[in-house]
Amino acid sequence: MGRQPERPQIRAWRPAVDGVVEVLHARFGSHAYPMHTHDAWTLLVIDDGVVRYDLDRREHGAVPDRITLLPPHVPHDGRSAVPRGFRKRVAYLDASAIDARYVGAAVDTPALCDALMRDWIDRLHGALRHSGDELEAQSRLCLIVERLEEHLGGAPARQSARDRGLAGRLRDLIDANVVVGVSLTDAATAFGVHPTHLVRSFHREYGVPPHRYLVGRRLDDARRLLLDGRQIADVATTVGFYDQAHFARHFRRLLGTSPAAYARSAVA
């Protein structure tokens, strides 16, 4: 009997994050995409293998150390260039997420080499996988879009006095809502600016994106409660995390240890 073709492994979902219309994580063995189009921007990273594709009748390659950005409504296909197939992660971004004037540049240069942005995209997908991380996903997406547009020919924006004022207003809003959190979209609407502009202003003023500032404030409160002897599950929800696992993941990422070990250190 001949070898059966490898069954694809696919996970797809629609996150509750403005600007992201769909997320796809997939592993394919022998599947080849026919020529097709999307009505969204395709932000693609390859985690294993190599993908060959034609975009606007020109051949390109997608490899693990490159970021691939395919514009809306431009025909492309895709097939594995190696026998083992490929593993990919895709965030489909709303057509309005990236300025339409960059479509031509994306057609000409769909592959981008940027190790920092590659890390940001990894972290974006991590946030998109978890409920409760919507502010992180929104913040990371805004920074990624800004960097993509710079790669495609946009000039880096300068920080102005107005931008510093916006950053201060957003920090005040976060400080007043540490437990319940802040919607970046709602804040941008209230301040009369685009979410990307708001994130950029905050990041340049304070050196961290809004979600990291909020997580830091929550963890400050959490550490004090843990040292007071409060139970971990109670601390997690009290300071605003979605659940104990969500809390523990952020705690370990920032402090390099678990909440339980941190709490035990007070006794020691």
Side-chain angles (χ1 to χ4, degrees), residues 101-102 146 148-158 200 204:
R101 71 177 183 269
Y102 297 119
E146 180 188 31
L148 286 169
E149 291 186 344
E150 289 178 6
H151 271 287
L152 297 173
R158 292 186 174 183
R200 179 177 62 232
R204 292 185 175 177

Side-chain angles (χ1 to χ4, degrees), residues 18-261:
D18 288 343
V20 182
V21 297
E22 185 182 341
V23 181
L24 173 66
H25 292 183
R27 183 178 189 91
F28 289 108
S30 58
H31 176 69
Y33 287 97
M35 195 63 70
H36 64 287
T37 65
H38 297 292
D39 60 359
W41 289 88
T42 301
L43 182 61
L44 163 73
V45 290
I46 299 295
D47 294 311
D48 184 51
V50 177
V51 172
R52 287 286 180 189
Y53 63 94
D54 291 334
L55 177 70
D56 195 33
R57 297 182 293 276
R58 283 178 286 178
E59 188 177 55
H60 300 274
V63 295
D65 67 346
R66 295 291 189 272
I67 298 157
T68 300
L69 181 68
L70 307 178
H73 308 299
V74 180
H76 60 277
D77 60 6
R79 62 273 182 196
S80 179
V82 294
R84 68 178 182 273
F86 61 91
R87 181 162 51 91
K88 69 174 184 176
R89 287 173 294 161
V90 185
Y92 294 99
L93 310 183
D94 189 274
S96 63
I98 299 175
D99 197 300
R101 71 177 183 269
Y102 297 119
V103 167
V107 170
D108 293 338
T109 311
L112 307 172
C113 183
D114 186 326
L116 178 60
M117 184 164 57
R118 182 65 162 80
D119 179 65
W120 289 356
I121 293 171
D122 288 344
R123 295 180 183 274
L124 170 64
H125 279 277
L128 290 170
R129 282 199 303 265
H130 300 288
S131 296
D133 282 349
E134 286 80 11
L135 178 60
E136 177 177 355
Q138 284 182 311
S139 297
R140 292 199 182 281
L141 177 61
C142 287
L143 295 174
I144 289 166
V145 166
E146 180 188 31
R147 199 165 179 94
L148 286 169
E149 291 186 344
E150 289 178 6
H151 271 287
L152 297 173
R158 292 186 174 183
Q159 188 82 326
S160 65
R162 178 174 180 268
D163 293 339
R164 289 191 288 273
L166 281 172
R169 292 172 67 189
L170 180 56
R171 187 177 68 171
D172 290 344
L173 184 64
I174 293 172
D175 287 343
N177 295 277
V178 169
V179 176
V180 298
V182 170
S183 164
L184 189 60
T185 302
D186 290 347
T189 300
F191 298 159
V193 297
H194 192 277
T196 300
H197 186 81
L198 188 57
V199 171
R200 179 177 62 232
S201 300
F202 192 96
H203 190 241
R204 292 185 175 177
E205 182 68 12
Y206 299 114
V208 294
H211 73 272
R212 191 172 296 173
Y213 177 81
L214 174 60
V215 167
R217 287 295 317 279
R218 286 175 172 173
L219 291 178
D220 284 342
D221 293 342
R223 284 157 42 208
R224 295 167 190 138
L225 293 176
L226 289 171
L227 295 179
D228 286 341
R230 296 275 291 273
Q231 295 297 310
I232 294 173
D234 179 45
V235 170
T237 54
T238 296
V239 302
F241 288 100
Y242 182 74
D243 57 22
Q244 187 172 333
H246 186 215
F247 168 50
R249 184 173 66 254
H250 282 288
F251 196 98
R252 184 177 291 277
R253 180 186 297 173
L254 181 65
L255 298 169
T257 189
S258 68

